[in-house]
Amino acid sequence: RMAVGCLLELAFKVAAGEIKNGFAVIRPPGHHAEESTAMGFCFFNSVAISAKLLQQKLSVGRIL
């Protein structure tokens, strides 16, 4: 949960223009987690959650 929260804070600050860019060094990265299933040490897919919330809350259209 802390990894997701850290990435969300960073992503929202970058998207809002508070900071120019950022790099999140977090573990677990979440790349094994699926939408409704945890796998390995990945309970949440941090990047997918961040992308979805940026789209919903800030109407960000494209995410790389």
Side-chain angles (χ1 to χ4, degrees), residues 10-11 14 17 26 30 38 40 48 52:
L10 174 63
V14 171
I26 55 174
K52 190 69 165 182

Side-chain angles (χ1 to χ4, degrees), residues 28-46 48-49:
H31 64 279
H32 290 118
E34 295 187 6
E35 185 176 331
S36 60
T37 306
M39 290 189 174
F41 290 107
C42 302
F43 294 100
F44 306 103
N45 188 324
S46 306
I49 292 169

Side-chain angles (χ1 to χ4, degrees), residues 3-64:
V4 175
C6 290
L7 182 58
L8 285 173
E9 185 172 347
L10 174 63
F12 274 82
K13 285 186 178 199
V14 171
E18 290 182 43
I19 57 176
K20 185 176 179 181
N21 57 39
F23 186 85
V25 181
I26 55 174
R27 188 174 189 277
H31 64 279
H32 290 118
E34 295 187 6
E35 185 176 331
S36 60
T37 306
M39 290 189 174
F41 290 107
C42 302
F43 294 100
F44 306 103
N45 188 324
S46 306
V47 175
I49 292 169
S50 298
K52 190 69 165 182
L53 284 175
L54 285 170
Q55 290 172 333
Q56 291 176 345
K57 305 265 185 206
L58 298 180
S59 299
V60 173
R62 294 174 50 180
I63 298 173
L64 173 63

